Amino acid sequence: MLYRLKVVFVDNKELEWENTEKHGFSDDLELFEITTAGEIIVVPLKQIKYISCDSKIFQK
């Protein structure tokens, strides 16, 4: 299942992915990992202000 994920950084820049497969935190809680259909993105957690996920994936 693909879903939309939006990341807002501390400098107020935003990135949005429409084809996210999964996302989560690294084991040491220092990195945020995003896997899309075409790439893997790793962002230091200190650079992120907040994360927003498309709520449709949680519908029953």
Side-chain angles (χ1 to χ4, degrees):
M1 174 187 304
L2 300 178
Y3 56 94
R4 185 178 336 151
L5 184 77
K6 179 178 178 180
V7 176
V8 178
F9 296 94
V10 292
D11 62 357
N12 291 326
K13 292 187 180 182
E14 300 178 6
L15 287 177
E16 190 169 329
W17 295 271
E18 298 288 331
N19 57 349
T20 308
E21 292 178 354
K22 66 179 181 175
H23 67 278
F25 300 99
S26 64
D27 292 337
D28 59 4
L29 297 175
E30 291 189 15
L31 301 172
F32 185 68
E33 302 166 354
I34 304 162
T35 303
T36 67
E39 62 187 340
I40 297 173
I41 302 103
V42 179
V43 181
L45 202 55
K46 292 179 180 181
Q47 293 182 358
I48 297 175
K49 190 177 201 177
Y50 70 88
I51 302 159
S52 174
C53 175
D54 187 352
S55 63
K56 289 189 282 190
I57 64 168
F58 300 113
Q59 291 180 350
K60 292 183 180 180

mmCIF file of all heavy atoms in Angstrom, residues 11-50:
data_model
loop_
_atom_site.group_PDB
_atom_site.id
_atom_site.type_symbol
_atom_site.label_atom_id
_atom_site.label_comp_id
_atom_site.label_asym_id
_atom_site.label_seq_id
_atom_site.Cartn_x
_atom_site.Cartn_y
_atom_site.Cartn_z
ATOM 1 N N ASP A 11 13.872 24.485 9.327
ATOM 2 C CA ASP A 11 13.974 25.737 8.575
ATOM 3 C C ASP A 11 12.704 26.030 7.774
ATOM 4 O O ASP A 11 12.691 26.874 6.897
ATOM 5 C CB ASP A 11 15.194 25.728 7.657
ATOM 6 C CG ASP A 11 15.132 24.629 6.601
ATOM 7 O OD1 ASP A 11 14.169 23.842 6.608
ATOM 8 O OD2 ASP A 11 16.055 24.554 5.773
ATOM 9 N N ASN A 12 11.617 25.299 8.074
ATOM 10 C CA ASN A 12 10.278 25.434 7.484
ATOM 11 C C ASN A 12 10.188 25.003 6.027
ATOM 12 O O ASN A 12 9.171 25.243 5.384
ATOM 13 C CB ASN A 12 9.730 26.855 7.655
ATOM 14 C CG ASN A 12 9.409 27.143 9.100
ATOM 15 O OD1 ASN A 12 8.994 26.257 9.852
ATOM 16 N ND2 ASN A 12 9.624 28.374 9.514
ATOM 17 N N LYS A 13 11.178 24.332 5.485
ATOM 18 C CA LYS A 13 11.067 23.733 4.158
ATOM 19 C C LYS A 13 10.273 22.446 4.298
ATOM 20 O O LYS A 13 10.330 21.774 5.318
ATOM 21 C CB LYS A 13 12.439 23.466 3.568
ATOM 22 C CG LYS A 13 13.177 24.733 3.233
ATOM 23 C CD LYS A 13 14.447 24.448 2.505
ATOM 24 C CE LYS A 13 15.133 25.775 2.208
ATOM 25 N NZ LYS A 13 16.359 25.594 1.452
ATOM 26 N N GLU A 14 9.525 22.117 3.249
ATOM 27 C CA GLU A 14 8.669 20.932 3.279
ATOM 28 C C GLU A 14 9.002 20.002 2.119
ATOM 29 O O GLU A 14 9.285 20.460 1.018
ATOM 30 C CB GLU A 14 7.201 21.334 3.170
ATOM 31 C CG GLU A 14 6.718 22.225 4.276
ATOM 32 C CD GLU A 14 5.267 22.638 4.092
ATOM 33 O OE1 GLU A 14 4.606 22.136 3.153
ATOM 34 O OE2 GLU A 14 4.792 23.452 4.878
ATOM 35 N N LEU A 15 8.943 18.718 2.377
ATOM 36 C CA LEU A 15 9.041 17.702 1.331
ATOM 37 C C LEU A 15 7.861 16.774 1.483
ATOM 38 O O LEU A 15 7.457 16.431 2.598
ATOM 39 C CB LEU A 15 10.342 16.913 1.444
ATOM 40 C CG LEU A 15 11.622 17.631 1.039
ATOM 41 C CD1 LEU A 15 12.828 16.725 1.274
ATOM 42 C CD2 LEU A 15 11.574 18.032 -0.421
ATOM 43 N N GLU A 16 7.302 16.355 0.339
ATOM 44 C CA GLU A 16 6.138 15.478 0.365
ATOM 45 C C GLU A 16 6.331 14.364 -0.652
ATOM 46 O O GLU A 16 6.784 14.607 -1.776
ATOM 47 C CB GLU A 16 4.887 16.284 0.042
ATOM 48 C CG GLU A 16 3.614 15.526 0.267
ATOM 49 C CD GLU A 16 2.396 16.421 0.202
ATOM 50 O OE1 GLU A 16 2.496 17.599 0.553
ATOM 51 O OE2 GLU A 16 1.344 15.922 -0.221
ATOM 52 N N TRP A 17 6.005 13.147 -0.247
ATOM 53 C CA TRP A 17 6.086 11.992 -1.118
ATOM 54 C C TRP A 17 4.695 11.388 -1.240
ATOM 55 O O TRP A 17 4.017 11.150 -0.249
ATOM 56 C CB TRP A 17 7.038 10.952 -0.551
ATOM 57 C CG TRP A 17 8.451 11.420 -0.490
ATOM 58 C CD1 TRP A 17 9.391 11.303 -1.462
ATOM 59 C CD2 TRP A 17 9.093 12.081 0.597
ATOM 60 N NE1 TRP A 17 10.564 11.860 -1.046
ATOM 61 C CE2 TRP A 17 10.410 12.350 0.210
ATOM 62 C CE3 TRP A 17 8.676 12.500 1.855
ATOM 63 C CZ2 TRP A 17 11.318 12.992 1.041
ATOM 64 C CZ3 TRP A 17 9.574 13.141 2.676
ATOM 65 C CH2 TRP A 17 10.877 13.384 2.267
ATOM 66 N N GLU A 18 4.278 11.093 -2.463
ATOM 67 C CA GLU A 18 2.957 10.505 -2.720
ATOM 68 C C GLU A 18 3.010 8.981 -2.742
ATOM 69 O O GLU A 18 1.975 8.337 -2.656
ATOM 70 C CB GLU A 18 2.420 11.005 -4.075
ATOM 71 C CG GLU A 18 2.210 12.504 -4.135
ATOM 72 C CD GLU A 18 1.021 12.960 -3.312
ATOM 73 O OE1 GLU A 18 0.070 12.172 -3.151
ATOM 74 O OE2 GLU A 18 1.055 14.107 -2.842
ATOM 75 N N ASN A 19 4.196 8.411 -2.872
ATOM 76 C CA ASN A 19 4.321 6.959 -3.063
ATOM 77 C C ASN A 19 5.157 6.301 -1.972
ATOM 78 O O ASN A 19 6.000 5.453 -2.243
ATOM 79 C CB ASN A 19 4.936 6.687 -4.435
ATOM 80 C CG ASN A 19 6.285 7.355 -4.617
ATOM 81 O OD1 ASN A 19 6.689 8.192 -3.814
ATOM 82 N ND2 ASN A 19 6.982 6.995 -5.664
ATOM 83 N N THR A 20 4.911 6.665 -0.725
ATOM 84 C CA THR A 20 5.655 6.103 0.402
ATOM 85 C C THR A 20 5.216 4.672 0.668
ATOM 86 O O THR A 20 4.023 4.379 0.730
ATOM 87 C CB THR A 20 5.426 6.953 1.668
ATOM 88 O OG1 THR A 20 5.706 8.312 1.372
ATOM 89 C CG2 THR A 20 6.301 6.480 2.806
ATOM 90 N N GLU A 21 6.173 3.788 0.815
ATOM 91 C CA GLU A 21 5.877 2.395 1.154
ATOM 92 C C GLU A 21 5.930 2.166 2.656
ATOM 93 O O GLU A 21 5.115 1.437 3.206
ATOM 94 C CB GLU A 21 6.865 1.461 0.454
ATOM 95 C CG GLU A 21 6.688 1.425 -1.041
ATOM 96 C CD GLU A 21 7.703 0.527 -1.721
ATOM 97 O OE1 GLU A 21 8.627 0.022 -1.048
ATOM 98 O OE2 GLU A 21 7.566 0.331 -2.930
ATOM 99 N N LYS A 22 6.936 2.780 3.318
ATOM 100 C CA LYS A 22 7.041 2.664 4.778
ATOM 101 C C LYS A 22 7.941 3.783 5.298
ATOM 102 O O LYS A 22 8.699 4.381 4.552
ATOM 103 C CB LYS A 22 7.571 1.297 5.204
ATOM 104 C CG LYS A 22 8.991 1.018 4.786
ATOM 105 C CD LYS A 22 9.440 -0.347 5.275
ATOM 106 C CE LYS A 22 10.885 -0.595 4.852
ATOM 107 N NZ LYS A 22 11.404 -1.838 5.388
ATOM 108 N N HIS A 23 7.824 4.040 6.588
ATOM 109 C CA HIS A 23 8.681 5.032 7.238
ATOM 110 C C HIS A 23 8.862 4.640 8.694
ATOM 111 O O HIS A 23 8.065 3.892 9.239
ATOM 112 C CB HIS A 23 8.097 6.447 7.120
ATOM 113 C CG HIS A 23 6.838 6.650 7.875
ATOM 114 N ND1 HIS A 23 5.604 6.270 7.387
ATOM 115 C CD2 HIS A 23 6.607 7.182 9.099
ATOM 116 C CE1 HIS A 23 4.671 6.577 8.268
ATOM 117 N NE2 HIS A 23 5.255 7.129 9.329
ATOM 118 N N GLY A 24 9.931 5.152 9.300
ATOM 119 C CA GLY A 24 10.175 4.825 10.698
ATOM 120 C C GLY A 24 11.488 5.396 11.177
ATOM 121 O O GLY A 24 12.225 6.036 10.434
ATOM 122 N N PHE A 25 11.767 5.143 12.438
ATOM 123 C CA PHE A 25 12.974 5.652 13.081
ATOM 124 C C PHE A 25 14.044 4.573 13.111
ATOM 125 O O PHE A 25 13.734 3.392 13.199
ATOM 126 C CB PHE A 25 12.659 6.105 14.512
ATOM 127 C CG PHE A 25 11.632 7.192 14.565
ATOM 128 C CD1 PHE A 25 10.302 6.903 14.849
ATOM 129 C CD2 PHE A 25 11.983 8.503 14.318
ATOM 130 C CE1 PHE A 25 9.353 7.902 14.886
ATOM 131 C CE2 PHE A 25 11.039 9.516 14.363
ATOM 132 C CZ PHE A 25 9.724 9.215 14.649
ATOM 133 N N SER A 26 15.305 4.993 13.077
ATOM 134 C CA SER A 26 16.407 4.043 13.200
ATOM 135 C C SER A 26 16.454 3.510 14.634
ATOM 136 O O SER A 26 15.820 4.055 15.538
ATOM 137 C CB SER A 26 17.732 4.713 12.837
ATOM 138 O OG SER A 26 18.018 5.749 13.745
ATOM 139 N N ASP A 27 17.215 2.460 14.829
ATOM 140 C CA ASP A 27 17.302 1.835 16.148
ATOM 141 C C ASP A 27 17.857 2.774 17.212
ATOM 142 O O ASP A 27 17.471 2.703 18.376
ATOM 143 C CB ASP A 27 18.154 0.569 16.088
ATOM 144 C CG ASP A 27 17.493 -0.535 15.289
ATOM 145 O OD1 ASP A 27 16.246 -0.506 15.155
ATOM 146 O OD2 ASP A 27 18.211 -1.425 14.800
ATOM 147 N N ASP A 28 18.751 3.661 16.824
ATOM 148 C CA ASP A 28 19.334 4.597 17.791
ATOM 149 C C ASP A 28 18.541 5.902 17.920
ATOM 150 O O ASP A 28 18.938 6.809 18.633
ATOM 151 C CB ASP A 28 20.783 4.902 17.441
ATOM 152 C CG ASP A 28 20.942 5.500 16.064
ATOM 153 O OD1 ASP A 28 19.920 5.749 15.384
ATOM 154 O OD2 ASP A 28 22.089 5.713 15.643
ATOM 155 N N LEU A 29 17.411 5.991 17.228
ATOM 156 C CA LEU A 29 16.506 7.150 17.253
ATOM 157 C C LEU A 29 17.187 8.460 16.827
ATOM 158 O O LEU A 29 16.795 9.535 17.255
ATOM 159 C CB LEU A 29 15.862 7.319 18.630
ATOM 160 C CG LEU A 29 14.979 6.177 19.080
ATOM 161 C CD1 LEU A 29 14.504 6.396 20.499
ATOM 162 C CD2 LEU A 29 13.813 5.976 18.140
ATOM 163 N N GLU A 30 18.184 8.353 15.942
ATOM 164 C CA GLU A 30 18.844 9.547 15.428
ATOM 165 C C GLU A 30 18.473 9.846 13.987
ATOM 166 O O GLU A 30 18.674 10.959 13.518
ATOM 167 C CB GLU A 30 20.361 9.406 15.555
ATOM 168 C CG GLU A 30 20.832 9.447 16.994
ATOM 169 C CD GLU A 30 22.336 9.518 17.114
ATOM 170 O OE1 GLU A 30 22.997 9.817 16.113
ATOM 171 O OE2 GLU A 30 22.836 9.272 18.219
ATOM 172 N N LEU A 31 17.918 8.869 13.277
ATOM 173 C CA LEU A 31 17.587 9.034 11.867
ATOM 174 C C LEU A 31 16.131 8.678 11.611
ATOM 175 O O LEU A 31 15.556 7.820 12.283
ATOM 176 C CB LEU A 31 18.479 8.137 10.997
ATOM 177 C CG LEU A 31 19.977 8.361 11.104
ATOM 178 C CD1 LEU A 31 20.719 7.285 10.340
ATOM 179 C CD2 LEU A 31 20.345 9.737 10.586
ATOM 180 N N PHE A 32 15.533 9.341 10.618
ATOM 181 C CA PHE A 32 14.193 9.016 10.159
ATOM 182 C C PHE A 32 14.329 8.443 8.756
ATOM 183 O O PHE A 32 14.932 9.070 7.881
ATOM 184 C CB PHE A 32 13.314 10.265 10.151
ATOM 185 C CG PHE A 32 11.886 9.984 9.810
ATOM 186 C CD1 PHE A 32 11.093 9.265 10.676
ATOM 187 C CD2 PHE A 32 11.331 10.433 8.624
ATOM 188 C CE1 PHE A 32 9.763 8.998 10.382
ATOM 189 C CE2 PHE A 32 10.016 10.179 8.317
ATOM 190 C CZ PHE A 32 9.223 9.463 9.192
ATOM 191 N N GLU A 33 13.811 7.266 8.536
ATOM 192 C CA GLU A 33 13.982 6.555 7.279
ATOM 193 C C GLU A 33 12.660 6.482 6.529
ATOM 194 O O GLU A 33 11.634 6.096 7.088
ATOM 195 C CB GLU A 33 14.516 5.151 7.554
ATOM 196 C CG GLU A 33 15.836 5.164 8.304
ATOM 197 C CD GLU A 33 16.222 3.808 8.872
ATOM 198 O OE1 GLU A 33 15.400 2.860 8.783
ATOM 199 O OE2 GLU A 33 17.327 3.701 9.414
ATOM 200 N N ILE A 34 12.699 6.850 5.246
ATOM 201 C CA ILE A 34 11.521 6.837 4.386
ATOM 202 C C ILE A 34 11.832 5.958 3.184
ATOM 203 O O ILE A 34 12.846 6.154 2.520
ATOM 204 C CB ILE A 34 11.179 8.261 3.902
ATOM 205 C CG1 ILE A 34 10.993 9.189 5.093
ATOM 206 C CG2 ILE A 34 9.947 8.245 3.015
ATOM 207 C CD1 ILE A 34 11.081 10.655 4.742
ATOM 208 N N THR A 35 10.968 5.001 2.909
ATOM 209 C CA THR A 35 11.128 4.145 1.749
ATOM 210 C C THR A 35 9.971 4.421 0.791
ATOM 211 O O THR A 35 8.809 4.267 1.158
ATOM 212 C CB THR A 35 11.122 2.660 2.146
ATOM 213 O OG1 THR A 35 12.160 2.432 3.098
ATOM 214 C CG2 THR A 35 11.348 1.770 0.940
ATOM 215 N N THR A 36 10.306 4.853 -0.433
ATOM 216 C CA THR A 36 9.307 5.087 -1.467
ATOM 217 C C THR A 36 9.454 4.016 -2.537
ATOM 218 O O THR A 36 10.340 3.161 -2.454
ATOM 219 C CB THR A 36 9.466 6.485 -2.098
ATOM 220 O OG1 THR A 36 10.692 6.524 -2.824
ATOM 221 C CG2 THR A 36 9.456 7.579 -1.052
ATOM 222 N N ALA A 37 8.619 4.092 -3.550
ATOM 223 C CA ALA A 37 8.687 3.115 -4.628
ATOM 224 C C ALA A 37 10.008 3.185 -5.383
ATOM 225 O O ALA A 37 10.461 2.183 -5.925
ATOM 226 C CB ALA A 37 7.522 3.334 -5.585
ATOM 227 N N GLY A 38 10.671 4.361 -5.387
ATOM 228 C CA GLY A 38 11.883 4.493 -6.163
ATOM 229 C C GLY A 38 13.153 4.819 -5.406
ATOM 230 O O GLY A 38 14.231 4.808 -5.987
ATOM 231 N N GLU A 39 13.058 5.129 -4.107
ATOM 232 C CA GLU A 39 14.253 5.535 -3.370
ATOM 233 C C GLU A 39 14.094 5.335 -1.870
ATOM 234 O O GLU A 39 13.000 5.124 -1.375
ATOM 235 C CB GLU A 39 14.578 7.003 -3.662
ATOM 236 C CG GLU A 39 13.494 7.970 -3.242
ATOM 237 C CD GLU A 39 13.767 9.389 -3.689
ATOM 238 O OE1 GLU A 39 14.916 9.738 -3.995
ATOM 239 O OE2 GLU A 39 12.814 10.164 -3.733
ATOM 240 N N ILE A 40 15.222 5.416 -1.176
ATOM 241 C CA ILE A 40 15.250 5.384 0.286
ATOM 242 C C ILE A 40 15.862 6.697 0.749
ATOM 243 O O ILE A 40 16.939 7.074 0.297
ATOM 244 C CB ILE A 40 16.068 4.194 0.807
ATOM 245 C CG1 ILE A 40 15.417 2.876 0.373
ATOM 246 C CG2 ILE A 40 16.203 4.255 2.322
ATOM 247 C CD1 ILE A 40 16.233 1.650 0.693
ATOM 248 N N ILE A 41 15.179 7.404 1.626
ATOM 249 C CA ILE A 41 15.623 8.697 2.127
ATOM 250 C C ILE A 41 15.910 8.554 3.609
ATOM 251 O O ILE A 41 15.102 7.987 4.356
ATOM 252 C CB ILE A 41 14.551 9.787 1.906
ATOM 253 C CG1 ILE A 41 14.218 9.908 0.417
ATOM 254 C CG2 ILE A 41 15.015 11.125 2.432
ATOM 255 C CD1 ILE A 41 12.951 9.263 0.039
ATOM 256 N N VAL A 42 17.062 9.063 4.046
ATOM 257 C CA VAL A 42 17.439 9.040 5.452
ATOM 258 C C VAL A 42 17.712 10.479 5.877
ATOM 259 O O VAL A 42 18.514 11.168 5.268
ATOM 260 C CB VAL A 42 18.683 8.157 5.682
ATOM 261 C CG1 VAL A 42 19.075 8.174 7.142
ATOM 262 C CG2 VAL A 42 18.428 6.741 5.210
ATOM 263 N N VAL A 43 16.997 10.931 6.922
ATOM 264 C CA VAL A 43 17.096 12.311 7.391
ATOM 265 C C VAL A 43 17.464 12.300 8.876
ATOM 266 O O VAL A 43 16.848 11.567 9.648
ATOM 267 C CB VAL A 43 15.751 13.043 7.203
ATOM 268 C CG1 VAL A 43 15.840 14.477 7.662
ATOM 269 C CG2 VAL A 43 15.280 12.966 5.767
ATOM 270 N N PRO A 44 18.437 13.117 9.285
ATOM 271 C CA PRO A 44 18.729 13.227 10.723
ATOM 272 C C PRO A 44 17.503 13.785 11.465
ATOM 273 O O PRO A 44 16.890 14.762 11.027
ATOM 274 C CB PRO A 44 19.898 14.206 10.792
ATOM 275 C CG PRO A 44 20.499 14.173 9.435
ATOM 276 C CD PRO A 44 19.385 13.885 8.488
ATOM 277 N N LEU A 45 17.145 13.156 12.548
ATOM 278 C CA LEU A 45 15.936 13.529 13.282
ATOM 279 C C LEU A 45 15.998 14.961 13.817
ATOM 280 O O LEU A 45 14.973 15.630 13.921
ATOM 281 C CB LEU A 45 15.720 12.542 14.423
ATOM 282 C CG LEU A 45 14.309 12.429 14.969
ATOM 283 C CD1 LEU A 45 13.314 12.106 13.878
ATOM 284 C CD2 LEU A 45 14.251 11.383 16.039
ATOM 285 N N LYS A 46 17.181 15.462 14.108
ATOM 286 C CA LYS A 46 17.332 16.827 14.627
ATOM 287 C C LYS A 46 16.915 17.884 13.609
ATOM 288 O O LYS A 46 16.651 19.019 13.987
ATOM 289 C CB LYS A 46 18.774 17.081 15.038
ATOM 290 C CG LYS A 46 19.189 16.283 16.243
ATOM 291 C CD LYS A 46 20.629 16.556 16.605
ATOM 292 C CE LYS A 46 21.042 15.748 17.813
ATOM 293 N NZ LYS A 46 22.426 16.004 18.201
ATOM 294 N N GLN A 47 16.839 17.531 12.316
ATOM 295 C CA GLN A 47 16.464 18.479 11.271
ATOM 296 C C GLN A 47 14.957 18.529 11.037
ATOM 297 O O GLN A 47 14.480 19.355 10.277
ATOM 298 C CB GLN A 47 17.170 18.132 9.966
ATOM 299 C CG GLN A 47 18.652 18.314 10.012
ATOM 300 C CD GLN A 47 19.296 17.995 8.675
ATOM 301 O OE1 GLN A 47 18.648 17.600 7.719
ATOM 302 N NE2 GLN A 47 20.600 18.172 8.612
ATOM 303 N N ILE A 48 14.203 17.649 11.686
ATOM 304 C CA ILE A 48 12.765 17.539 11.417
ATOM 305 C C ILE A 48 11.968 18.278 12.483
ATOM 306 O O ILE A 48 12.166 18.082 13.676
ATOM 307 C CB ILE A 48 12.334 16.057 11.368
ATOM 308 C CG1 ILE A 48 13.041 15.361 10.205
ATOM 309 C CG2 ILE A 48 10.822 15.939 11.228
ATOM 310 C CD1 ILE A 48 12.781 13.878 10.134
ATOM 311 N N LYS A 49 11.045 19.113 12.005
ATOM 312 C CA LYS A 49 10.124 19.818 12.907
ATOM 313 C C LYS A 49 8.916 18.928 13.197
ATOM 314 O O LYS A 49 8.553 18.713 14.331
ATOM 315 C CB LYS A 49 9.684 21.117 12.254
ATOM 316 C CG LYS A 49 8.938 22.066 13.145
ATOM 317 C CD LYS A 49 8.651 23.338 12.358
ATOM 318 C CE LYS A 49 8.372 24.505 13.252
ATOM 319 N NZ LYS A 49 8.175 25.738 12.453
ATOM 320 N N TYR A 50 8.267 18.425 12.121
ATOM 321 C CA TYR A 50 7.190 17.446 12.309
ATOM 322 C C TYR A 50 6.963 16.621 11.058
ATOM 323 O O TYR A 50 7.428 16.956 9.979
ATOM 324 C CB TYR A 50 5.886 18.090 12.791
ATOM 325 C CG TYR A 50 5.172 18.959 11.786
ATOM 326 C CD1 TYR A 50 4.259 18.417 10.890
ATOM 327 C CD2 TYR A 50 5.365 20.328 11.766
ATOM 328 C CE1 TYR A 50 3.592 19.222 9.980
ATOM 329 C CE2 TYR A 50 4.700 21.141 10.875
ATOM 330 C CZ TYR A 50 3.814 20.577 9.977
ATOM 331 O OH TYR A 50 3.156 21.363 9.076
#
